[in-house]
Amino acid sequence: MTQATLQRRPLVKEILAGADDTLLVIAGLGSSNWDITNAGDRPLNMPLWGAMGAPVGMGLGLALAQPGKRVLVITGDGDMLMSLGSLATVAAQSPDNLAVCVLDNEKFGETGNQATHTSPRNNGPTDSGAGTDLAMIARGCGIADCGTVTGKEDVRQLVTDLRTKKGPIFRLVKVMVEKLDFVMPPQDGAHLKDRFRQALLGNP
Ligand SMILES: Cc1ncc(C[n+]2csc(CCOP(=O)(O)OP(=O)(O)O)c2C)c(N)n1
């Protein structure tokens, strides 16, 4: 893989620009969590603080329960690697309102930039790289609409697809390794759940 050039923060800002109450966003733990918050904290964002491997399954359930809303999952490669089976379940259920966007920096960024299996194989003594291609895995799971984005020229189309294209769709975006400030959402999980639920369903 050639060096990634896309920066995750402006990218996520562009993806979420103009988000209204028809867009439900779930972010995987770590950097994606800070990315969606940097774009503007909102009740219909569900940033996961520690539930590694959970966002795609959660997004799928939400998409099935809320067919009138668009559900967008934004997460990292490390998180996605933990729950590959959820992609097959997405394919099996095939909700037309679900989009999954994996920001692949080939690292466990949040815990110190250890290489994930999406990094190139180098066969060194601590090599964990396997060149794993998550878009090919998603396709192999049965999600027909999968793609990889590596350059600026494809960002506009990426944003349109994630926000509006008939799902389920899966997009892998190769992003730079960067040291970025934490931009933290509220840390209380019960509060995040309650405000999301209230914004979506109103008062019980
Ligand atoms: C089950 C579990 N294992 C490990 C962790 C510790 N952990 C927190 S963030 C993270 C790395 C996430 O990597 P990735 O999804 O690629 O995100 P990014 O590189 O964008 O931060 C890890 C390993 C955890 N929270 N839960």
Side-chain angles (χ1 to χ4, degrees), residues 81-146:
L81 282 161
M82 272 196 70
S83 57
L84 296 177
S86 61
L87 294 172
T89 313
V90 166
Q93 295 289 329
S94 216
D96 65 7
N97 57 337
L98 177 64
V100 177
C101 177
V102 175
L103 302 175
D104 183 3
N105 58 4
E106 303 180 353
K107 309 280 186 202
F108 295 106
E110 196 52 34
T111 48
N113 281 336
Q114 301 87 356
T116 70
H117 299 324
T118 66
S119 68
R121 185 181 295 281
N122 67 33
N123 293 317
T126 59
D127 183 21
S128 60
T132 299
D133 184 332
L134 290 167
M136 280 184 76
I137 290 174
R139 181 69 196 88
C141 281
I143 300 175
D145 191 342
C146 297

Short mmCIF file of all heavy atoms in Angstrom, two decimals, residues 81-146:
data_model
loop_
_atom_site.label_atom_id
_atom_site.label_comp_id
_atom_site.label_asym_id
_atom_site.label_seq_id
_atom_site.Cartn_x
_atom_site.Cartn_y
_atom_site.Cartn_z
N LEU A 81 -11.86 -5.54 12.49
CA LEU A 81 -11.23 -6.87 12.51
C LEU A 81 -11.78 -7.75 13.63
O LEU A 81 -11.72 -8.98 13.55
CB LEU A 81 -9.71 -6.72 12.65
CG LEU A 81 -8.98 -6.32 11.36
CD1 LEU A 81 -7.59 -5.76 11.68
CD2 LEU A 81 -8.86 -7.50 10.40
N MET A 82 -12.29 -7.12 14.68
CA MET A 82 -12.82 -7.89 15.81
C MET A 82 -14.20 -8.47 15.55
O MET A 82 -14.67 -9.30 16.32
CB MET A 82 -12.90 -7.02 17.06
CG MET A 82 -11.63 -7.03 17.84
SD MET A 82 -11.88 -6.40 19.51
CE MET A 82 -12.83 -7.70 20.25
N SER A 83 -14.87 -8.01 14.51
CA SER A 83 -16.27 -8.44 14.33
C SER A 83 -16.57 -8.71 12.86
O SER A 83 -17.60 -8.27 12.35
CB SER A 83 -17.22 -7.38 14.88
OG SER A 83 -16.99 -6.15 14.24
N LEU A 84 -15.67 -9.44 12.22
CA LEU A 84 -15.86 -9.69 10.78
C LEU A 84 -17.17 -10.42 10.50
O LEU A 84 -17.81 -10.18 9.48
CB LEU A 84 -14.68 -10.50 10.24
CG LEU A 84 -13.31 -9.79 10.30
CD1 LEU A 84 -12.21 -10.72 9.80
CD2 LEU A 84 -13.34 -8.50 9.48
N GLY A 85 -17.58 -11.28 11.42
CA GLY A 85 -18.82 -12.03 11.21
C GLY A 85 -20.04 -11.15 11.08
O GLY A 85 -21.02 -11.52 10.42
N SER A 86 -19.97 -9.96 11.70
CA SER A 86 -21.14 -9.08 11.62
C SER A 86 -21.40 -8.64 10.18
O SER A 86 -22.53 -8.33 9.81
CB SER A 86 -20.97 -7.86 12.54
OG SER A 86 -19.86 -7.10 12.16
N LEU A 87 -20.36 -8.65 9.35
CA LEU A 87 -20.55 -8.25 7.94
C LEU A 87 -21.40 -9.29 7.20
O LEU A 87 -22.21 -8.94 6.33
CB LEU A 87 -19.19 -8.08 7.25
CG LEU A 87 -18.34 -6.92 7.80
CD1 LEU A 87 -16.93 -6.95 7.19
CD2 LEU A 87 -19.02 -5.58 7.51
N ALA A 88 -21.22 -10.55 7.54
CA ALA A 88 -22.06 -11.59 6.92
C ALA A 88 -23.50 -11.45 7.36
O ALA A 88 -24.44 -11.69 6.58
CB ALA A 88 -21.51 -12.98 7.26
N THR A 89 -23.70 -11.05 8.60
CA THR A 89 -25.08 -10.86 9.08
C THR A 89 -25.71 -9.63 8.42
O THR A 89 -26.89 -9.64 8.09
CB THR A 89 -25.10 -10.73 10.62
OG1 THR A 89 -24.31 -11.78 11.16
CG2 THR A 89 -26.51 -10.84 11.16
N VAL A 90 -24.91 -8.60 8.20
CA VAL A 90 -25.42 -7.44 7.44
C VAL A 90 -25.87 -7.89 6.06
O VAL A 90 -26.96 -7.54 5.59
CB VAL A 90 -24.33 -6.34 7.31
CG1 VAL A 90 -24.72 -5.29 6.26
CG2 VAL A 90 -24.09 -5.66 8.66
N ALA A 91 -25.05 -8.71 5.41
CA ALA A 91 -25.41 -9.19 4.07
C ALA A 91 -26.69 -10.02 4.12
O ALA A 91 -27.56 -9.89 3.27
CB ALA A 91 -24.26 -10.01 3.48
N ALA A 92 -26.80 -10.85 5.14
CA ALA A 92 -27.97 -11.73 5.25
C ALA A 92 -29.25 -10.91 5.46
O ALA A 92 -30.29 -11.20 4.87
CB ALA A 92 -27.78 -12.71 6.41
N GLN A 93 -29.16 -9.87 6.27
CA GLN A 93 -30.35 -9.05 6.57
C GLN A 93 -30.58 -7.98 5.50
O GLN A 93 -31.69 -7.57 5.25
CB GLN A 93 -30.18 -8.37 7.93
CG GLN A 93 -30.12 -9.35 9.09
CD GLN A 93 -31.45 -10.00 9.37
OE1 GLN A 93 -32.49 -9.39 9.15
NE2 GLN A 93 -31.42 -11.23 9.83
N SER A 94 -29.48 -7.51 4.93
CA SER A 94 -29.49 -6.56 3.81
C SER A 94 -30.38 -5.32 3.99
O SER A 94 -31.20 -5.01 3.11
CB SER A 94 -29.91 -7.32 2.54
OG SER A 94 -29.20 -6.81 1.45
N PRO A 95 -30.23 -4.57 5.07
CA PRO A 95 -31.04 -3.35 5.23
C PRO A 95 -30.61 -2.28 4.21
O PRO A 95 -29.41 -2.02 4.07
CB PRO A 95 -30.73 -2.90 6.66
CG PRO A 95 -29.40 -3.50 6.97
CD PRO A 95 -29.27 -4.75 6.16
N ASP A 96 -31.58 -1.68 3.54
CA ASP A 96 -31.20 -0.72 2.49
C ASP A 96 -30.84 0.66 3.03
O ASP A 96 -30.51 1.57 2.29
CB ASP A 96 -32.30 -0.62 1.43
CG ASP A 96 -33.59 -0.05 1.99
OD1 ASP A 96 -33.60 0.40 3.17
OD2 ASP A 96 -34.60 -0.05 1.26
N ASN A 97 -30.90 0.81 4.37
CA ASN A 97 -30.61 2.10 4.99
C ASN A 97 -29.32 2.10 5.81
O ASN A 97 -29.09 2.99 6.61
CB ASN A 97 -31.78 2.51 5.90
CG ASN A 97 -32.08 1.47 6.98
OD1 ASN A 97 -31.74 0.30 6.82
ND2 ASN A 97 -32.70 1.88 8.06
N LEU A 98 -28.47 1.08 5.60
CA LEU A 98 -27.24 0.97 6.41
C LEU A 98 -25.99 1.20 5.56
O LEU A 98 -25.82 0.58 4.50
CB LEU A 98 -27.16 -0.41 7.07
CG LEU A 98 -25.89 -0.71 7.88
CD1 LEU A 98 -25.78 0.22 9.10
CD2 LEU A 98 -25.86 -2.17 8.33
N ALA A 99 -25.12 2.07 6.06
CA ALA A 99 -23.81 2.30 5.44
C ALA A 99 -22.73 2.10 6.49
O ALA A 99 -22.86 2.58 7.62
CB ALA A 99 -23.73 3.71 4.86
N VAL A 100 -21.68 1.39 6.11
CA VAL A 100 -20.55 1.17 7.02
C VAL A 100 -19.30 1.78 6.40
O VAL A 100 -18.98 1.49 5.24
CB VAL A 100 -20.32 -0.35 7.27
CG1 VAL A 100 -19.08 -0.56 8.15
CG2 VAL A 100 -21.55 -0.99 7.89
N CYS A 101 -18.64 2.64 7.17
CA CYS A 101 -17.42 3.29 6.70
C CYS A 101 -16.28 2.95 7.66
O CYS A 101 -16.33 3.31 8.84
CB CYS A 101 -17.64 4.80 6.65
SG CYS A 101 -16.17 5.73 6.15
N VAL A 102 -15.27 2.25 7.15
CA VAL A 102 -14.12 1.90 8.00
C VAL A 102 -12.95 2.81 7.64
O VAL A 102 -12.51 2.86 6.49
CB VAL A 102 -13.72 0.42 7.82
CG1 VAL A 102 -12.45 0.12 8.60
CG2 VAL A 102 -14.86 -0.49 8.29
N LEU A 103 -12.49 3.55 8.65
CA LEU A 103 -11.32 4.42 8.47
C LEU A 103 -10.09 3.59 8.80
O LEU A 103 -9.82 3.29 9.96
CB LEU A 103 -11.43 5.64 9.39
CG LEU A 103 -12.70 6.49 9.19
CD1 LEU A 103 -12.77 7.60 10.23
CD2 LEU A 103 -12.74 7.07 7.78
N ASP A 104 -9.36 3.18 7.76
CA ASP A 104 -8.28 2.21 7.92
C ASP A 104 -6.93 2.93 7.94
O ASP A 104 -6.40 3.32 6.90
CB ASP A 104 -8.35 1.21 6.76
CG ASP A 104 -7.31 0.10 6.88
OD1 ASP A 104 -6.57 0.08 7.89
OD2 ASP A 104 -7.24 -0.73 5.96
N ASN A 105 -6.38 3.06 9.15
CA ASN A 105 -5.03 3.64 9.28
C ASN A 105 -3.98 2.54 9.48
O ASN A 105 -2.82 2.82 9.77
CB ASN A 105 -4.98 4.66 10.44
CG ASN A 105 -5.37 4.04 11.76
OD1 ASN A 105 -5.63 2.84 11.86
ND2 ASN A 105 -5.43 4.86 12.82
N GLU A 106 -4.46 1.29 9.37
CA GLU A 106 -3.59 0.11 9.50
C GLU A 106 -2.95 0.01 10.89
O GLU A 106 -1.93 -0.67 11.07
CB GLU A 106 -2.53 0.10 8.39
CG GLU A 106 -3.18 0.12 7.00
CD GLU A 106 -2.20 0.12 5.83
OE1 GLU A 106 -0.99 0.23 6.07
OE2 GLU A 106 -2.68 0.00 4.69
N LYS A 107 -3.54 0.70 11.86
CA LYS A 107 -3.01 0.71 13.23
C LYS A 107 -4.13 0.64 14.26
O LYS A 107 -5.25 1.07 13.99
CB LYS A 107 -2.26 2.03 13.52
CG LYS A 107 -1.23 2.44 12.51
CD LYS A 107 0.06 1.71 12.70
CE LYS A 107 1.12 2.26 11.75
NZ LYS A 107 2.19 1.30 11.51
N PHE A 108 -3.77 0.15 15.46
CA PHE A 108 -4.60 0.37 16.64
C PHE A 108 -4.18 1.76 17.16
O PHE A 108 -3.35 1.87 18.06
CB PHE A 108 -4.33 -0.69 17.71
CG PHE A 108 -4.72 -2.10 17.31
CD1 PHE A 108 -3.76 -3.04 16.99
CD2 PHE A 108 -6.06 -2.48 17.29
CE1 PHE A 108 -4.11 -4.34 16.65
CE2 PHE A 108 -6.42 -3.79 16.94
CZ PHE A 108 -5.45 -4.72 16.61
N GLY A 109 -4.75 2.80 16.54
CA GLY A 109 -4.27 4.15 16.82
C GLY A 109 -4.38 4.53 18.28
O GLY A 109 -3.46 5.09 18.89
N GLU A 110 -5.52 4.19 18.84
CA GLU A 110 -5.85 4.65 20.18
C GLU A 110 -4.91 4.09 21.25
O GLU A 110 -4.70 4.70 22.29
CB GLU A 110 -7.29 4.25 20.47
CG GLU A 110 -7.93 4.93 21.62
CD GLU A 110 -7.80 6.43 21.52
OE1 GLU A 110 -7.83 6.98 20.41
OE2 GLU A 110 -7.64 7.04 22.60
N THR A 111 -4.35 2.93 21.00
CA THR A 111 -3.53 2.29 22.03
C THR A 111 -2.04 2.37 21.72
O THR A 111 -1.24 1.64 22.32
CB THR A 111 -3.94 0.82 22.21
OG1 THR A 111 -4.04 0.20 20.93
CG2 THR A 111 -5.27 0.70 22.93
N GLY A 112 -1.65 3.23 20.77
CA GLY A 112 -0.22 3.43 20.54
C GLY A 112 0.29 3.04 19.17
O GLY A 112 1.50 2.82 18.99
N ASN A 113 -0.63 2.95 18.21
CA ASN A 113 -0.24 2.71 16.82
C ASN A 113 0.45 1.38 16.57
O ASN A 113 1.35 1.28 15.73
CB ASN A 113 0.65 3.85 16.31
CG ASN A 113 -0.16 5.07 15.92
OD1 ASN A 113 -1.35 4.95 15.61
ND2 ASN A 113 0.46 6.24 15.96
N GLN A 114 0.01 0.34 17.29
CA GLN A 114 0.48 -1.00 16.93
C GLN A 114 -0.14 -1.38 15.57
O GLN A 114 -1.30 -1.03 15.30
CB GLN A 114 0.05 -2.03 17.98
CG GLN A 114 0.55 -1.76 19.37
CD GLN A 114 -0.38 -0.84 20.17
OE1 GLN A 114 -1.38 -0.33 19.68
NE2 GLN A 114 -0.02 -0.60 21.42
N ALA A 115 0.62 -2.09 14.74
CA ALA A 115 0.10 -2.47 13.42
C ALA A 115 -1.07 -3.44 13.57
O ALA A 115 -1.04 -4.36 14.39
CB ALA A 115 1.20 -3.12 12.60
N THR A 116 -2.12 -3.21 12.77
CA THR A 116 -3.20 -4.22 12.69
C THR A 116 -2.91 -5.13 11.49
O THR A 116 -1.97 -4.89 10.72
CB THR A 116 -4.59 -3.57 12.49
OG1 THR A 116 -4.65 -3.01 11.17
CG2 THR A 116 -4.87 -2.51 13.53
N HIS A 117 -3.77 -6.12 11.31
CA HIS A 117 -3.56 -7.06 10.20
C HIS A 117 -3.81 -6.42 8.83
O HIS A 117 -3.52 -7.03 7.81
CB HIS A 117 -4.47 -8.28 10.37
CG HIS A 117 -4.19 -9.05 11.64
ND1 HIS A 117 -2.93 -9.21 12.15
CD2 HIS A 117 -5.04 -9.69 12.47
CE1 HIS A 117 -3.01 -9.92 13.26
NE2 HIS A 117 -4.27 -10.21 13.49
N THR A 118 -4.35 -5.21 8.79
CA THR A 118 -4.51 -4.56 7.48
C THR A 118 -3.20 -3.93 7.01
O THR A 118 -3.10 -3.50 5.86
CB THR A 118 -5.62 -3.47 7.48
OG1 THR A 118 -5.22 -2.39 8.32
CG2 THR A 118 -6.96 -4.04 7.94
N SER A 119 -2.20 -3.87 7.87
CA SER A 119 -0.91 -3.29 7.46
C SER A 119 -0.16 -4.30 6.60
O SER A 119 -0.42 -5.50 6.67
CB SER A 119 -0.09 -2.89 8.69
OG SER A 119 0.30 -4.03 9.40
N PRO A 120 0.77 -3.82 5.78
CA PRO A 120 1.46 -4.74 4.89
C PRO A 120 2.31 -5.73 5.67
O PRO A 120 2.82 -5.41 6.74
CB PRO A 120 2.37 -3.82 4.05
CG PRO A 120 1.96 -2.44 4.36
CD PRO A 120 1.21 -2.43 5.64
N ARG A 121 2.44 -6.92 5.12
CA ARG A 121 3.29 -7.93 5.75
C ARG A 121 4.75 -7.51 5.57
O ARG A 121 5.17 -7.14 4.48
CB ARG A 121 3.07 -9.28 5.04
CG ARG A 121 3.79 -10.45 5.65
CD ARG A 121 3.49 -11.70 4.84
NE ARG A 121 2.09 -12.09 4.90
CZ ARG A 121 1.54 -12.74 5.94
NH1 ARG A 121 2.27 -13.05 6.99
NH2 ARG A 121 0.28 -13.07 5.92
N ASN A 122 5.52 -7.53 6.64
CA ASN A 122 6.95 -7.22 6.46
C ASN A 122 7.85 -8.32 7.00
O ASN A 122 9.06 -8.27 6.85
CB ASN A 122 7.31 -5.85 7.07
CG ASN A 122 7.17 -5.85 8.58
OD1 ASN A 122 7.41 -6.87 9.24
ND2 ASN A 122 6.77 -4.72 9.14
N ASN A 123 7.22 -9.29 7.66
CA ASN A 123 7.95 -10.47 8.13
C ASN A 123 9.03 -10.18 9.18
O ASN A 123 9.88 -11.02 9.43
CB ASN A 123 8.57 -11.25 6.96
CG ASN A 123 7.48 -11.86 6.10
OD1 ASN A 123 6.52 -12.40 6.63
ND2 ASN A 123 7.62 -11.75 4.80
N GLY A 124 8.96 -8.99 9.78
CA GLY A 124 9.88 -8.72 10.88
C GLY A 124 9.49 -9.51 12.12
O GLY A 124 8.45 -10.17 12.12
N PRO A 125 10.32 -9.44 13.16
CA PRO A 125 10.06 -10.24 14.35
C PRO A 125 8.75 -9.91 15.06
O PRO A 125 8.18 -10.77 15.73
CB PRO A 125 11.27 -9.91 15.26
CG PRO A 125 11.91 -8.71 14.68
CD PRO A 125 11.53 -8.63 13.23
N THR A 126 8.28 -8.69 14.93
CA THR A 126 7.02 -8.33 15.59
C THR A 126 5.91 -8.10 14.56
O THR A 126 4.94 -7.40 14.82
CB THR A 126 7.17 -7.07 16.45
OG1 THR A 126 7.60 -6.01 15.59
CG2 THR A 126 8.16 -7.26 17.57
N ASP A 127 6.08 -8.69 13.39
CA ASP A 127 5.13 -8.45 12.29
C ASP A 127 3.75 -8.98 12.60
O ASP A 127 3.59 -10.16 12.91
CB ASP A 127 5.66 -9.13 11.03
CG ASP A 127 4.78 -8.85 9.83
OD1 ASP A 127 4.03 -7.86 9.87
OD2 ASP A 127 4.84 -9.61 8.86
N SER A 128 2.75 -8.10 12.54
CA SER A 128 1.38 -8.60 12.63
C SER A 128 0.62 -8.25 11.36
O SER A 128 -0.57 -8.49 11.26
CB SER A 128 0.67 -8.00 13.85
OG SER A 128 0.65 -6.60 13.72
N GLY A 129 1.34 -7.66 10.39
CA GLY A 129 0.70 -7.28 9.14
C GLY A 129 0.38 -8.48 8.29
O GLY A 129 1.17 -9.42 8.20
N ALA A 130 -0.80 -8.43 7.66
CA ALA A 130 -1.18 -9.52 6.76
C ALA A 130 -1.71 -8.96 5.45
O ALA A 130 -2.10 -9.70 4.57
CB ALA A 130 -2.26 -10.38 7.43
N GLY A 131 -1.73 -7.63 5.35
CA GLY A 131 -2.31 -7.02 4.15
C GLY A 131 -3.79 -7.33 4.01
O GLY A 131 -4.34 -7.36 2.91
N THR A 132 -4.45 -7.54 5.13
CA THR A 132 -5.89 -7.88 5.10
C THR A 132 -6.69 -6.77 4.43
O THR A 132 -6.54 -5.60 4.78
CB THR A 132 -6.40 -8.09 6.55
OG1 THR A 132 -5.66 -9.16 7.11
CG2 THR A 132 -7.88 -8.41 6.57
N ASP A 133 -7.53 -7.16 3.48
CA ASP A 133 -8.34 -6.19 2.75
C ASP A 133 -9.80 -6.30 3.23
O ASP A 133 -10.52 -7.24 2.87
CB ASP A 133 -8.24 -6.48 1.25
CG ASP A 133 -8.99 -5.47 0.40
OD1 ASP A 133 -9.98 -4.88 0.90
OD2 ASP A 133 -8.60 -5.26 -0.77
N LEU A 134 -10.21 -5.33 4.04
CA LEU A 134 -11.53 -5.41 4.66
C LEU A 134 -12.67 -5.23 3.64
O LEU A 134 -13.76 -5.76 3.83
CB LEU A 134 -11.65 -4.38 5.78
CG LEU A 134 -10.79 -4.69 7.02
CD1 LEU A 134 -10.71 -3.48 7.95
CD2 LEU A 134 -11.34 -5.89 7.78
N ALA A 135 -12.40 -4.49 2.56
CA ALA A 135 -13.45 -4.33 1.54
C ALA A 135 -13.68 -5.65 0.82
O ALA A 135 -14.82 -6.01 0.49
CB ALA A 135 -13.08 -3.23 0.56
N MET A 136 -12.60 -6.39 0.57
CA MET A 136 -12.76 -7.71 -0.06
C MET A 136 -13.48 -8.68 0.87
O MET A 136 -14.28 -9.51 0.43
CB MET A 136 -11.40 -8.29 -0.45
CG MET A 136 -10.87 -7.70 -1.74
SD MET A 136 -9.32 -8.47 -2.23
CE MET A 136 -9.93 -10.03 -2.86
N ILE A 137 -13.20 -8.56 2.16
CA ILE A 137 -13.89 -9.42 3.13
C ILE A 137 -15.38 -9.11 3.14
O ILE A 137 -16.22 -10.01 3.10
CB ILE A 137 -13.28 -9.25 4.54
CG1 ILE A 137 -11.89 -9.88 4.57
CG2 ILE A 137 -14.19 -9.86 5.61
CD1 ILE A 137 -11.13 -9.65 5.85
N ALA A 138 -15.71 -7.81 3.15
CA ALA A 138 -17.12 -7.42 3.15
C ALA A 138 -17.81 -7.94 1.90
O ALA A 138 -18.93 -8.46 1.95
CB ALA A 138 -17.24 -5.90 3.25
N ARG A 139 -17.13 -7.83 0.77
CA ARG A 139 -17.69 -8.34 -0.50
C ARG A 139 -17.88 -9.86 -0.41
O ARG A 139 -18.91 -10.40 -0.81
CB ARG A 139 -16.74 -7.97 -1.65
CG ARG A 139 -17.22 -8.41 -3.01
CD ARG A 139 -18.46 -7.62 -3.44
NE ARG A 139 -19.15 -8.27 -4.56
CZ ARG A 139 -20.08 -9.21 -4.44
NH1 ARG A 139 -20.46 -9.65 -3.25
NH2 ARG A 139 -20.66 -9.74 -5.50
N GLY A 140 -16.87 -10.51 0.13
CA GLY A 140 -16.95 -11.96 0.27
C GLY A 140 -18.04 -12.40 1.24
O GLY A 140 -18.57 -13.51 1.13
N CYS A 141 -18.38 -11.53 2.17
CA CYS A 141 -19.48 -11.83 3.10
C CYS A 141 -20.83 -11.72 2.43
O CYS A 141 -21.84 -12.13 2.99
CB CYS A 141 -19.43 -10.86 4.29
SG CYS A 141 -18.19 -11.32 5.51
N GLY A 142 -20.85 -11.08 1.25
CA GLY A 142 -22.12 -10.98 0.52
C GLY A 142 -22.67 -9.57 0.42
O GLY A 142 -23.78 -9.37 -0.07
N ILE A 143 -21.91 -8.57 0.90
CA ILE A 143 -22.35 -7.18 0.71
C ILE A 143 -21.94 -6.78 -0.71
O ILE A 143 -20.74 -6.67 -1.01
CB ILE A 143 -21.73 -6.24 1.77
CG1 ILE A 143 -22.13 -6.69 3.19
CG2 ILE A 143 -22.15 -4.80 1.52
CD1 ILE A 143 -21.48 -5.90 4.31
N ALA A 144 -22.93 -6.58 -1.56
CA ALA A 144 -22.62 -6.40 -2.99
C ALA A 144 -21.90 -5.08 -3.26
O ALA A 144 -21.03 -4.99 -4.13
CB ALA A 144 -23.91 -6.48 -3.80
N ASP A 145 -22.28 -4.04 -2.52
CA ASP A 145 -21.75 -2.71 -2.82
C ASP A 145 -20.62 -2.35 -1.86
O ASP A 145 -20.84 -1.81 -0.77
CB ASP A 145 -22.90 -1.68 -2.72
CG ASP A 145 -22.49 -0.33 -3.28
OD1 ASP A 145 -21.28 -0.07 -3.42
OD2 ASP A 145 -23.41 0.48 -3.56
N CYS A 146 -19.41 -2.69 -2.25
CA CYS A 146 -18.23 -2.43 -1.42
C CYS A 146 -17.22 -1.66 -2.23
O CYS A 146 -17.12 -1.85 -3.45
CB CYS A 146 -17.56 -3.73 -0.98
SG CYS A 146 -18.61 -4.75 0.06
#
